[in-house]
Amino acid sequence: MKKINLVLLLAGLLCPIFMQAQGTLYLSNSGVTPMGSAEIGSDSWIGQSFYTGTNPDGYTLDSIQLLMNSAIGNPDNVTVSIYSWTSGTGAPGTEIASLTGFNPSTGGLYTYTASGITLLPSTDGAEQSYFVVVTASTPVAVGAYDWSAANTEQQQLSEFIQNDGWLFHDEYFSSTDGSTWTKTIRQDIFQMAIYATPIPEPQIYAVLGLSLAYIGFRRFRRSK
């Protein structure tokens, strides 16, 4: 009976970790009817802001899916990055990391995976904001990727996924060079889905370590 209880204990501890390996869908407006779009190129950057949830130890970003329309002309080398939020102006600040994925040549959802990106949590009275910034290596005169957008008011009245306090900010920023940004409020929210894994509290690992140590001790005694 003790063996069974110990196995069940370990299963209870390990299952959440394994189940979160692919990430949880925390935020998505990709199912909302598109009402607009923006061309993406080296001279046309878009930064869409979002707020994280309230998990005390933050989140590991797993991937982001962008809802894209068919490309225009011959664009190349789309870049999807996570940027920090600039206090005061609210514009995209420093690039935290870039994600890996494919050029969106045809319309649909495109997945961009992250590696080692930690997002801080929102806390009482302080929402933690980040940006998904999208650009490309070619100017729009040569070709552009087309990022779909939903109308702000329509999204507020529609069903969209929102877990644990995650939320899209009803504004976006545009830029011609990734340095100087222009804010647009209450018009469009660019469409995407965000997958992340909540970082478990240290106590979980402590209990798991004690359980494994107990198993090792029992095996040692049996061998004697």
Side-chain angles (χ1 to χ4, degrees):
M1 180 62 70
K2 290 182 179 180
K3 291 181 181 178
I4 296 175
N5 289 338
L6 184 57
V7 169
L8 291 175
L9 172 63
L10 290 173
L13 291 170
L14 290 172
C15 280
I17 297 174
F18 292 145
M19 290 175 65
Q20 293 168 3
Q22 301 302 318
T24 298
L25 177 58
Y26 275 105
L27 187 60
S28 175
N29 65 344
S30 60
V32 178
T33 303
M35 297 294 288
S37 65
E39 295 182 348
I40 302 295
S42 61
D43 52 355
S44 181
W45 299 50
I46 294 293
Q48 176 63 60
S49 58
F50 65 92
Y51 296 127
T52 58
T54 58
N55 182 59
D57 293 295
Y59 304 83
T60 299
L61 180 64
D62 294 296
S63 64
I64 290 176
Q65 290 182 326
L66 302 183
L67 182 60
M68 307 295 289
N69 299 316
S70 296
I72 304 166
N74 297 294
D76 192 25
N77 193 27
V78 70
T79 301
V80 180
S81 304
I82 299 296
Y83 274 63
S84 63
W85 176 83
T86 302
S87 178
T89 64
T94 303
E95 181 181 2
I96 297 173
S98 59
L99 285 69
T100 304
F102 296 99
N103 290 330
S105 56
T106 60
L109 277 173
Y110 287 81
T111 300
Y112 299 89
T113 57
S115 178
I117 302 177
T118 299
L119 303 178
L120 298 176
S122 296
T123 58
D124 291 340
E127 294 177 304
Q128 186 66 44
S129 183
Y130 292 94
F131 283 89
V132 175
V133 174
V134 185
T135 184
S137 63
T138 48
V140 295
V142 174
Y145 298 108
D146 198 44
W147 191 4
S148 180
N151 178 269
T152 301
E153 182 178 357
Q154 180 208 24
Q155 177 166 296
Q156 291 173 344
L157 297 174
S158 302
E159 291 291 332
F160 68 99
I161 295 170
Q162 175 191 349
N163 292 327
D164 189 31
W166 289 67
L167 185 66
F168 289 115
H169 201 182
D170 62 346
E171 66 181 28
Y172 70 90
F173 284 78
S174 57
S175 175
T176 58
D177 56 10
S179 178
T180 302
W181 296 89
T182 300
K183 180 167 66 174
T184 302
I185 62 173
R186 299 185 181 89
Q187 290 189 20
D188 293 322
I189 298 177
F190 288 89
Q191 293 182 267
M192 65 177 126
I194 301 177
Y195 291 81
T197 300
I199 298 174
E201 296 183 9
Q203 291 88 336
I204 293 178
Y205 290 116
V207 173
L208 179 59
L210 289 174
S211 300
L212 293 175
Y214 175 77
I215 292 174
F217 174 72
R218 295 283 295 179
R219 287 182 175 177
F220 174 78
R221 290 194 60 183
R222 286 180 181 178
S223 66
K224 291 295 184 180

